[in-house]
Amino acid sequence: MSFYLVTPDVPADFGEVVYDDSYDPPRVVSAHFEFSYPVERELMKSYSGAYAVTKPLADALAQSGLNGYEFGPVTTSISSLVEDPEGFVIPPLFGLIITGRAFVDDFGIQGHSKLIGSERAAKFLFDRDEILRRYSSQLDENGEIIINL
């Protein structure tokens, strides 16, 4: 089975992240996303290593049969650097808590916060967002990039 390094948009700055250190690597269990840029994709990451999904993607994931994740709480705010906060819209978001093991389950984390998806998970995400495919890479069995998509 092939695996992919999935590299989503990073529209949010550093926000508070709560980790569960009883896992290796530690698992993000809740996060705050402080948005500096508009939400343009369904899957996103903050600079602090937390992942979030929009409600449509959360609903689709729940029906997908993919494993290695669960949903958790996310709070949001708009960065003070945003010039027009009145026109800035943040859709409802869910934390994407990665519970799987990289290179075993459909979703896993490698290192501190690299999202690893199985071929099945990657196809599911890429079918929903062609741009995500452009920034993701196929990995070999050692986790090294072999093909930039």
Side-chain angles (χ1 to χ4, degrees):
M1 176 189 305
S2 296
F3 287 88
Y4 294 80
L5 172 62
V6 179
T7 310
D9 269 358
V10 184
D13 289 330
F14 294 96
E16 183 179 344
V17 175
V18 177
Y19 292 94
D20 181 343
D21 293 329
S22 67
Y23 295 94
D24 184 28
R27 184 181 292 171
V28 172
V29 293
S30 69
H32 179 82
F33 280 65
E34 184 177 299
F35 286 91
S36 298
Y37 302 98
V39 175
E40 296 179 345
R41 313 254 73 83
E42 291 185 304
L43 171 63
M44 64 211 70
K45 179 180 178 182
S46 73
Y47 283 111
S48 53
Y51 290 90
V53 296
T54 61
K55 182 167 178 14
L57 181 54
D59 291 345
L61 277 168
Q63 299 299 314
S64 71
L66 295 170
N67 65 35
Y69 73 92
E70 59 189 44
F71 299 114
V74 170
T75 57
T76 61
S77 63
I78 298 170
S79 169
S80 62
L81 302 175
V82 172
E83 291 181 16
D84 180 20
E86 297 298 319
F88 202 98
V89 176
I90 301 171
L93 298 176
F94 296 85
L96 184 66
I97 299 170
I98 306 303
T99 60
R101 293 170 294 157
F103 304 102
V104 175
D105 298 307
D106 288 316
F107 290 101
I109 294 291
Q110 181 184 40
H112 174 67
S113 66
K114 292 179 182 174
L115 181 60
I116 306 300
S118 68
E119 187 169 8
R120 216 167 63 113
K123 180 176 178 356
F124 172 84
L125 293 171
F126 299 161
D127 284 350
R128 294 185 65 87
D129 185 350
E130 181 62 33
I131 292 173
L132 185 59
R133 178 189 307 270
R134 293 185 208 162
Y135 297 102
S136 299
S137 303
Q138 187 174 2
L139 303 173
D140 67 14
E141 63 278 353
N142 298 314
E144 300 295 324
I145 294 172
I146 56 173
I147 298 173
N148 284 322
L149 305 176

